[in-house]
Amino acid sequence: MTSASSHGPGPRFGIWALVHGSRAALQDPDEPYDASWRRNRALVLEAERLGFDSVLVAQHTVNPHDGESAQLEAWTAAAALAALTSRIEIIAAIKPYLYHPAVLAKMALGIEEISGGRFAINLVNAWNRPELERAGIPFAEHDARYAYGREWIEVVESLLRGERTRFAGEHFKLDDYRLSPAGLHRARPRIYVGGESEPARALVADRGDTWFINGQPLADVQALIADLRRRERPAGWAPLQFGLSAFVVARETDEEARAEHARLLALAALDAPLRAANKPNIDPKAVMFQTAQKSPRVGSNGGTAAELVGSYDSVARRIEAFHAAGIELFMLQFQPFEAEMRRFADHVLPRVAGAAARSLAARADAARA
Ligand SMILES: Cc1cc2nc3c(=O)[nH]c(=O)nc-3n(C[C@H](O)[C@H](O)[C@H](O)COP(=O)(O)O)c2cc1C
């Protein structure tokens, strides 16, 4: 099948790679823990065949849920995926403190070349204190991390363009530094930014191409988009685009979907001791974890708070409503991932594609009238 977005004006759909195993609940008899390269390779190849447009490879050097469990390395996996796939966009997350900007920009340009112009970075600010501290890397205060990230992305952006870069900031100094090859396929790889706090919003408004919003109800997402659309953009830059993270539970009927959501919530409750043990690791200023307290949900980054829980028709309608509000890319989670991803491709994608085609036809009719 083809994706809703490969023809017509519909949204794009992506999947979260399973870099640290299951997304909703770790103790699921239907989805044993598996964060292996072998699984992720098969998953992403299948997603591409099913018509998904994008894959997000989160970056965690150490598994953030359970430091003992396997964690797939984002940048090596992204490079390998780039070589194996042919159409899907590959987005790798990056935490500035872990890489010097010149090294990271060089890696990004490498994957841009391998993928033939399908690579993007997702700039994130870090929240898992021991991931940095136990490696001897200071975990600065929330807003200081954003100030560091702002300098970092300024350098990376210039290098990604292949510009001869001179930079003298508080953290970085580059003297006449230039990377080659650059610009083989387009001006530079895309820059996504994930993070919801005020400094995250300021950063994406003047340094990013797409803002990744944590899953939450439509009215909240509309308010966030309105806030970002009010902000100034650098001269000559395209308008900011918006992506939404969401966990999908879709079934024939709303009742069946609600029952499945309840089943996943019960399974997720089994992980409560693990979550409690991890709590001290989380930066309390990370806004993502503050909004996570608002309602019961499964999945990370808002998960089912985006309310993509319901019948195939209901989920398709909510996707259309988010798309009308400005969401261009839906970055989706499922559990068990492979089976539910196929279900979404079989039942929801065609409904959204149908709606997109109808809206295009209506616009063409209106233009003719
Ligand atoms: C779509 C999305 C993807 C994210 N991916 C990662 C990731 O790969 N690694 C990580 O440590 N944090 C990730 N984060 C979390 C950000 O690091 C988090 O939003 C930040 O630490 C808290 O910033 P805030 O207070 O601005 O929300 C992601 C956030 C979003 C919205």
Side-chain angles (χ1 to χ4, degrees):
M1 69 157 294
T2 50
S3 89
S5 58
S6 57
H7 46 85
R12 293 190 301 140
F13 294 95
I15 58 158
W16 285 74
L18 290 168
V19 292
H20 43 57
S22 305
R23 280 285 161 181
L26 292 172
Q27 301 172 59
D28 182 351
D30 294 337
E31 191 175 56
Y33 187 88
D34 187 354
S36 64
W37 160 244
R38 191 187 161 91
R39 180 192 189 183
N40 277 280
R41 174 186 190 275
L43 175 75
V44 175
L45 285 170
E46 181 172 11
E48 183 173 64
R49 278 198 304 277
L50 289 170
F52 286 86
D53 305 288
S54 187
V55 55
L56 176 59
V57 189
Q59 190 203 19
H60 300 276
T61 313
V62 174
N63 187 307
H65 306 302
D66 167 8
E68 301 300 311
S69 292
Q71 170 73 42
L72 187 70
E73 201 289 306
W75 282 70
T76 46
L81 288 170
L84 290 169
T85 54
S86 56
R87 187 187 56 78
I88 202 164
E89 177 189 39
I90 295 157
I91 311 172
I94 174 68
K95 276 169 277 199
Y97 281 93
L98 293 174
Y99 297 90
H100 188 280
V103 176
L104 193 281
K106 185 66 185 163
M107 283 163 54
L109 287 174
I111 306 179
E112 175 77 348
E113 181 180 3
I114 295 169
S115 67
R118 293 180 288 123
F119 186 60
I121 66 170
N122 183 30
L123 177 59
V124 295
N125 180 43
W127 52 266
N128 183 18
R129 182 179 289 278
E131 181 189 26
L132 298 183
E133 279 183 348
R134 289 191 192 159
I137 302 168
F139 188 83
E141 186 275 332
H142 182 272
D143 293 8
R145 293 201 303 280
Y146 272 107
Y148 185 93
R150 177 172 277 273
E151 258 194 30
W152 185 95
I153 192 65
E154 199 173 322
V155 174
V156 167
E157 207 269 333
S158 171
L159 292 172
L160 288 180
R161 286 184 185 280
E163 289 172 358
R164 202 164 279 291
T165 301
R166 287 193 185 81
F167 187 89
E170 192 183 326
H171 305 286
F172 305 109
K173 296 204 179 356
L174 285 89
D175 186 15
D176 207 13
Y177 210 86
R178 182 168 177 270
L179 299 178
S180 182
L184 289 177
H185 303 281
R186 51 186 170 166
R188 61 158 171 74
R190 222 178 154 71
I191 299 172
Y192 291 77
V193 177
E196 209 172 311
S197 57
E198 176 48 39
R201 297 180 200 193
L203 182 66
V204 70
D206 49 50
R207 294 273 178 267
D209 302 316
T210 299
W211 189 32
F212 261 134
I213 302 175
N214 291 309
Q216 45 206 303
L218 178 61
D220 295 349
V221 170
Q222 284 168 325
L224 290 171
I225 290 176
D227 174 31
L228 267 290
R229 282 190 173 150
R230 278 193 293 270
R231 295 174 190 238
E232 250 182 69
R233 297 277 286 156
W237 283 40
L240 188 63
Q241 294 202 309
F242 301 95
L244 183 72
S245 170
F247 189 107
V248 177
V249 186
R251 288 290 182 278
E252 284 291 343
T253 66
D254 287 333
E255 292 67 35
E256 284 171 86
R258 275 197 293 272
E260 174 60 11
H261 188 212
R263 190 186 76 84
L264 288 170
L265 278 167
L267 272 179
L270 300 176
D271 297 329
L274 199 56
R275 278 197 297 277
N278 274 331
K279 208 163 171 211
N281 297 344
I282 298 173
D283 176 3
K285 289 192 180 162
V287 172
M288 179 169 74
F289 293 96
Q290 295 162 14
T291 48
Q293 314 302 320
K294 282 190 188 167
S295 62
R297 74 273 308 271
V298 295
S300 73
N301 300 84
T304 48
E307 298 173 347
L308 298 188
V309 177
S311 70
Y312 302 135
D313 285 331
S314 304
V315 171
R317 273 199 305 274
R318 282 182 206 141
I319 285 171
E320 285 153 22
F322 277 117
H323 182 52
I327 297 297
E328 183 262 335
L329 173 62
F330 291 83
M331 195 49 72
L332 302 177
Q333 305 178 0
F334 307 96
Q335 186 161 331
F337 210 101
E338 287 84 351
E340 295 296 316
M341 173 178 82
R342 284 174 208 133
R343 183 196 291 278
F344 183 87
D346 285 346
H347 297 282
V348 181
L349 277 185
R351 284 166 161 86
V352 179
R358 281 195 298 281
S359 115
L360 188 64
R363 263 189 264 165
D365 284 351
R368 273 195 299 275

